Amino acid sequence: MGVGPGDPDLLTLAAVGAIEAADLIACPVARSGAESMAAAIAARWMRPHQRIIPLLFPMVDAAEPRRLAWHQAADTLAAEVATGQRVVLLCEGDASLFATGSYVLLALQQRHPDCPCRVIPGITAVSAAAAAANWPLALQQDQLLMRPCPEREDQLSQALDHAAGQARVLALLKLGRRWLWVRQVLERRQLLESSLFAERVGWPDQTLRPAQDVPGGVRPYFSLLLIRQSWPEVLP
């Protein structure tokens, strides 16, 4: 289930109901002993009698450690469900969009096809950032493309060229270390002023400002960029 990007007030009623009714709450962590950001978001509705278990999902490029983590998580959750436990797996943002929960769902469907599953959606960081900044995401015949930030300048330039020709708004996720050169590309194209930079959306230290006001350098993993290159002809 998705718990949104950070602000507990953005959890849906369905998510709150599922948390309160759960016997066991599974929380993703990137390394052993680390705090779960998803659990921190949902903490307001977690109860002392509930079992809380961390599930390790290493942030590595190698395929096998990730597959092993998804399989182990699916096996753990299915075993608990088989005993009659009401189980929820918390996911930041939306459970179906670039989410750990999607991989676990696929593993459950493959390894435990009889295990009942329900996906509860959550508000994405992209939607939350646009709303907080009063920034319309898509209008009329606009297209909206959400994707991880490209790894190279030429890939970003190509994406911007295609977007300009298709009235396509770009939402680039996981800027992190790429922001240094991404900013340079936007500056050359005179897109800094019209682009929205967002960082740690929904958290107390949230950043929302025009990209031109954000200096170059390494930014946190949870940072994103909204880029609009044109507006529809018919506007108020």
Side-chain angles (χ1 to χ4, degrees), residues 57 70-71 73-74 77 89 91 95-96 99-113 115-120:
F57 298 101
W70 301 329
H71 292 171
L77 298 179
L89 170 61
C91 296
S96 301
T100 298
S102 292
Y103 297 105
V104 177
L105 176 63
L106 292 173
L108 281 167
Q109 292 171 340
Q110 178 190 68
R111 299 167 69 86
H112 305 279
C115 181
C117 298
R118 174 192 176 200
V119 178
I120 299 176

Side-chain angles (χ1 to χ4, degrees), residues 26 34-35 45 70 82 90 94-95 109 171 226-227 230 236:
E35 180 185 9
W45 294 280
W70 301 329
L90 306 181
D94 177 67
Q109 292 171 340
L226 303 181
I227 306 171
S230 63

Side-chain angles (χ1 to χ4, degrees), residues 12 17 55 61 65 67 76 84 91 101-102 117 131 145 166 182 202 204:
T12 65
L55 295 178
D61 293 330
R67 287 198 184 100
T76 297
C91 296
S102 292
C117 298
L145 174 62
Q166 299 291 330
V182 169

Side-chain angles (χ1 to χ4, degrees), residues 33 37 62-63 76 118 131 139 141 150 153 158-159 179 203 209 230:
M37 295 177 67
T76 297
R118 174 192 176 200
L139 300 165
Q141 297 301 308
E153 289 190 32
Q158 185 179 52
W179 174 239
W203 294 90
R209 45 183 158 161
S230 63

Side-chain angles (χ1 to χ4, degrees), residues 112-166:
H112 305 279
D114 295 330
C115 181
C117 298
R118 174 192 176 200
V119 178
I120 299 176
I123 292 176
T124 69
V126 169
S127 295
N134 296 327
W135 204 93
L137 267 178
L139 300 165
Q140 299 172 29
Q141 297 301 308
D142 283 346
Q143 298 178 15
L144 174 63
L145 174 62
M146 284 188 281
R147 57 158 296 172
C149 181
E151 293 291 344
R152 303 195 313 265
E153 289 190 32
D154 62 312
Q155 294 173 332
L156 176 57
S157 294
Q158 185 179 52
L160 289 168
D161 289 340
H162 289 169
Q166 299 291 330

Side-chain angles (χ1 to χ4, degrees), residues 42-62:
R44 183 187 301 176
W45 294 280
M46 294 161 68
R47 300 292 180 257
H49 70 274
Q50 294 170 320
R51 292 169 55 207
I52 313 297
I53 62 170
L55 295 178
L56 179 62
F57 298 101
M59 297 180 66
V60 297
D61 293 330

